[in-house]
Amino acid sequence: PSRVEHPAGGYKKLFETVEELSSPVTAHVTGRIPTWLRGSLLRCGPGLFEVGAEPFYHLFDGQALLHKFDFKEGHVTYHRRFVRTDAYVRAMTEKRIVITEFGTYAYPDPCKNIFSRFFSYFKGVEVTDNALVNVYPVGEDYYACTETNFITKINPDTLETVKQVDLCKYVSVNGATAHPHVENDGTVYNIGNCFGKNFALAYNIIRIPPLQADKEDPINKSEVVVQFPCSDRFKPSSLHSFGLTSNYIVFVETPVKINLFKFLSSWSLWGANYMDCFESNETMGVWLHVAEKKKGRLLNIKYRTSAFNLFHHINTYEDNGFLIVDLCTWKGFEFVYNYLYLANLRANWEEVKRQAEKAPQPEARRYVLPLHLDKPEVIFSGPRHAFEFPQINYKKYGGKLYTYTYGLGLNHFVPDRLCKLNVKTKETWVWQGGDSYPSEPIFVSHPDALEEDDGVVLSIVINPGAGPKPAFLLILNAKDMSEVARAEVEVNIPVTFHGLFKRA
């Protein structure tokens, strides 16, 4: 549990518009940056929370801002640029919100007459490409992404936007998650929903091979490896991540559903957005589906458990004929995103707490398949305190037996601490500052590591009451979560969701 209360409301700075930087700025370092730490921390999140007088309403609506902390010989620089998506460029050009986002409807151009506005409703869905959630590598390239069919190629050195890529042109998916698995040889696995046979919905696992000798873009060689059926013909579940081991793929189907009829019709209704198309199935609970990865074949066993929301898998691994599936769950069938409107998150602390107490409650859980357990093992639980945005020593332990995970501690949805959790003993280590708001912890292994937790943890922290340097990059010793160094900058840094460390 958190030891800090937040009456001053400094967390509101996480949701403030900032400007991009024309060039990198030098960070002020206290402590000593490990000499072996060379490369770039790349992160994605919203940086523009309104266009002119028009506000965005939901946490996942602000326009994508790409952040980079560069480490070189003990020095640190910070740079950021907006991703030049269609949504951003058109908003800047027309000085209004042009493309409907997750929780914000884009009204038609008021300058057009009533007839052209009427016909624009029936042109079909204009899906957002606002790539604000994560960054991942494909071959030698890097892509910023959200959860739609559009991913955006970026230059990881200059942060310039290179081009938009529509995954629908390469493989049969209507969208793809922001949490693909990247294997050590560069193979990328992801999941998205699609129309299957007889117009029934299904979920496709797609595979993008590593870069080959011919240097052709690996996305051209994308393929579907297995298809999971949908429990409801016209209502796919919301999905954000999945589990992968060397032999198995685990897909967790939750009761948070997208009503396709609402989705297709809502675009002709005044004021509708993506959030209006979600609904909960109060009776289905949760289904866990398993497929054999190499054979592309579904196991004929399905596992069912009580209802929860799921955004992030911690890890999945095989152990003596069982699959161990570690998840960050939110108990219940109501959609957690209902509580992530910016008005809720920017409220005073007592109101933030009041709303969070009504929301589904968080619990890090371990499911053991195919053992039939009365209930999952709880590996972390605190009253309205979440262990979320989990990271592990992924390169060595992704899909394998592991001991440690690092997470962002959410206190009534406010990120106010970093945690390390031993998933075997349930021991925890915590880093926490006063009026300080960290982001997802990224584990970076020491190049000569002998143990799983040999390395550092990196997190961007905002500290709004701290005078001229309101944000810093924090470096912790991954073994005991003690501070090694920090690199402070003289600008505010808004909330970031996910990212990666790119070694030099």
Side-chain angles (χ1 to χ4, degrees):
S2 175
R3 297 185 296 273
V4 172
E5 287 285 306
H6 303 288
Y11 50 82
K12 296 174 192 179
K13 298 288 280 186
L14 291 164
F15 317 113
E16 275 187 13
T17 291
V18 294
E19 293 182 350
E20 63 181 9
L21 297 171
S22 56
S23 58
V25 297
T26 301
H28 173 72
V29 174
T30 53
R32 291 190 62 168
I33 308 280
T35 51
W36 56 265
L37 190 62
R38 290 189 296 274
S40 309
L41 176 70
L42 296 170
R43 291 191 64 77
C44 243
L48 183 76
F49 292 91
E50 64 284 310
V51 181
E54 296 183 15
F56 290 109
Y57 292 109
H58 200 274
L59 177 60
F60 303 127
D61 294 348
Q63 297 301 289
L65 185 62
L66 200 55
H67 307 256
K68 179 173 70 137
F69 278 91
D70 255 339
F71 301 85
K72 196 173 181 183
E73 292 163 1
H75 299 287
V76 182
T77 58
Y78 170 65
H79 193 28
R80 66 184 180 213
R81 294 198 67 178
F82 282 103
V83 186
R84 265 54 177 183
T85 59
D86 283 356
Y88 176 81
V89 170
R90 289 172 62 186
M92 292 299 96
T93 305
E94 299 191 32
K95 296 182 173 51
R96 65 186 187 89
I97 297 169
V98 179
I99 294 181
T100 292
E101 297 292 352
F102 196 73
T104 304
Y105 177 73
Y107 287 92
D109 185 347
C111 300
K112 290 182 180 171
N113 67 37
I114 188 74
F115 293 106
S116 62
R117 273 190 282 170
F118 177 79
F119 286 113
S120 74
Y121 284 139
F122 298 99
K123 284 182 184 169
V125 177
E126 191 164 38
V127 175
T128 182
D129 62 344
N130 181 19
L132 78 162
V133 184
N134 204 358
V135 190
Y136 64 91
V138 177
E140 294 176 340
D141 301 323
Y142 286 81
Y143 290 86
C145 65
T146 178
E147 306 271 55
T148 69
N149 49 300
F150 295 117
I151 58 176
T152 303
K153 185 175 172 181
I154 54 109
N155 181 322
D157 299 321
T158 63
L159 304 188
E160 287 172 348
T161 302
V162 181
K163 65 174 180 179
Q164 181 200 77
V165 173
D166 182 354
L167 291 173
C168 292
K169 293 180 178 173
Y170 301 93
V171 70
S172 178
V173 285
N174 300 330
T177 78
H179 290 284
H181 283 276
V182 184
E183 298 192 311
N184 287 341
D185 69 352
T187 305
V188 177
Y189 283 88
N190 208 340
I191 187 170
N193 45 46
C194 70
F195 286 107
K197 291 176 185 167
N198 306 321
F199 291 100
L201 276 157
Y203 310 94
N204 278 347
I205 294 284
I206 59 172
R207 177 182 176 274
I208 305 173
L211 192 66
Q212 309 291 315
D214 61 13
K215 295 288 185 185
E216 186 187 346
D217 186 345
I219 291 177
N220 292 335
K221 301 173 182 177
S222 306
E223 59 178 351
V224 174
V225 291
V226 68
Q227 185 171 91
F228 292 104
C230 183
S231 63
D232 185 319
R233 184 170 173 176
F234 294 113
K235 294 177 183 175
S237 289
S238 167
L239 48 130
H240 190 72
S241 62
F242 65 105
L244 191 76
T245 74
S246 52
N247 296 303
Y248 296 97
I249 302 163
V250 178
F251 165 54
V252 180
E253 192 177 19
T254 72
V256 177
K257 295 286 186 179
I258 303 163
N259 183 323
L260 269 197
F261 293 118
K262 274 190 195 169
F263 184 78
L264 295 172
S265 63
S266 70
W267 302 89
S268 61
L269 300 173
W270 189 259
N273 57 55
Y274 294 84
M275 276 295 289
D276 298 321
C277 306
F278 286 99
E279 59 185 48
S280 292
N281 180 329
E282 299 181 13
T283 57
M284 79 167 265
V286 164
W287 290 92
L288 292 92
H289 307 265
V290 180
E292 291 179 271
K293 179 174 150 192
K294 291 173 180 138
K295 295 177 181 172
R297 187 172 67 195
L298 293 178
L299 288 194
N300 58 3
I301 327 169
K302 268 194 279 199
Y303 308 88
R304 192 177 183 196
T305 185
S306 56
F308 58 76
N309 285 222
L310 171 70
F311 308 106
H312 301 119
H313 283 244
I314 302 172
N315 197 14
T316 310
Y317 63 91
E318 301 162 40
D319 188 12
N320 292 319
F322 300 117
L323 274 175
I324 314 298
V325 184
D326 290 353
L327 308 171
C328 295
T329 69
W330 297 79
K331 295 179 277 187
F333 51 76
E334 191 195 358
F335 197 21
V336 170
Y337 286 6
N338 292 340
Y339 293 88
L340 300 183
Y341 282 95
L342 290 166
N344 281 357
L345 298 173
R346 289 168 172 154
N348 66 54
W349 178 233
E350 290 306 315
E351 179 62 19
V352 168
K353 285 202 292 186
R354 198 174 68 78
Q355 290 292 333
E357 282 164 14
K358 295 191 293 189
Q361 293 309 303
E363 205 164 68
R365 289 181 178 179
R366 165 165 291 180
Y367 285 89
V368 180
L369 314 178
L371 284 180
H372 295 287
L373 296 180
D374 291 334
K375 58 181 182 178
E377 180 185 347
V378 174
I379 52 179
F380 176 88
S381 185
R384 293 168 187 91
H385 288 77
F387 179 97
E388 255 290 2
F389 293 81
Q391 290 284 322
I392 61 169
N393 183 341
Y394 182 82
K395 199 161 180 63
K396 287 188 179 167
Y397 293 88
K400 299 186 178 78
L401 178 68
Y402 76 117
T403 304
Y404 302 110
T405 176
Y406 304 87
L408 180 62
L410 303 182
N411 173 4
H412 298 78
F413 294 120
V414 170
D416 68 3
R417 65 204 180 284
L418 297 167
C419 309
K420 175 185 181 179
L421 170 65
N422 181 322
V423 297
K424 295 173 181 171
T425 66
K426 303 178 188 171
E427 185 180 2
T428 57
W429 296 258
V430 173
W431 177 91
Q432 194 164 35
D435 193 20
S436 296
Y437 305 97
S439 64
E440 173 190 58
I442 299 288
F443 175 81
V444 185
S445 179
H446 190 289
D448 305 319
L450 298 174
E451 296 177 301
E452 182 181 340
D453 57 353
D454 278 351
V456 294
V457 169
L458 306 179
S459 177
I460 296 174
V461 181
I462 79 142
N463 193 7
K469 296 186 175 70
F472 59 92
L473 187 283
L474 176 66
I475 304 173
L476 301 178
N477 181 329
K479 283 202 174 292
D480 60 6
M481 300 296 276
S482 61
E483 183 170 332
V484 174
R486 60 176 67 185
E488 298 172 303
V489 291
E490 294 181 2
V491 288
N492 181 43
I493 299 178
V495 60
T496 60
F497 298 134
H498 301 292
L500 55 82
F501 185 76
K502 176 178 172 284
R503 289 188 188 268

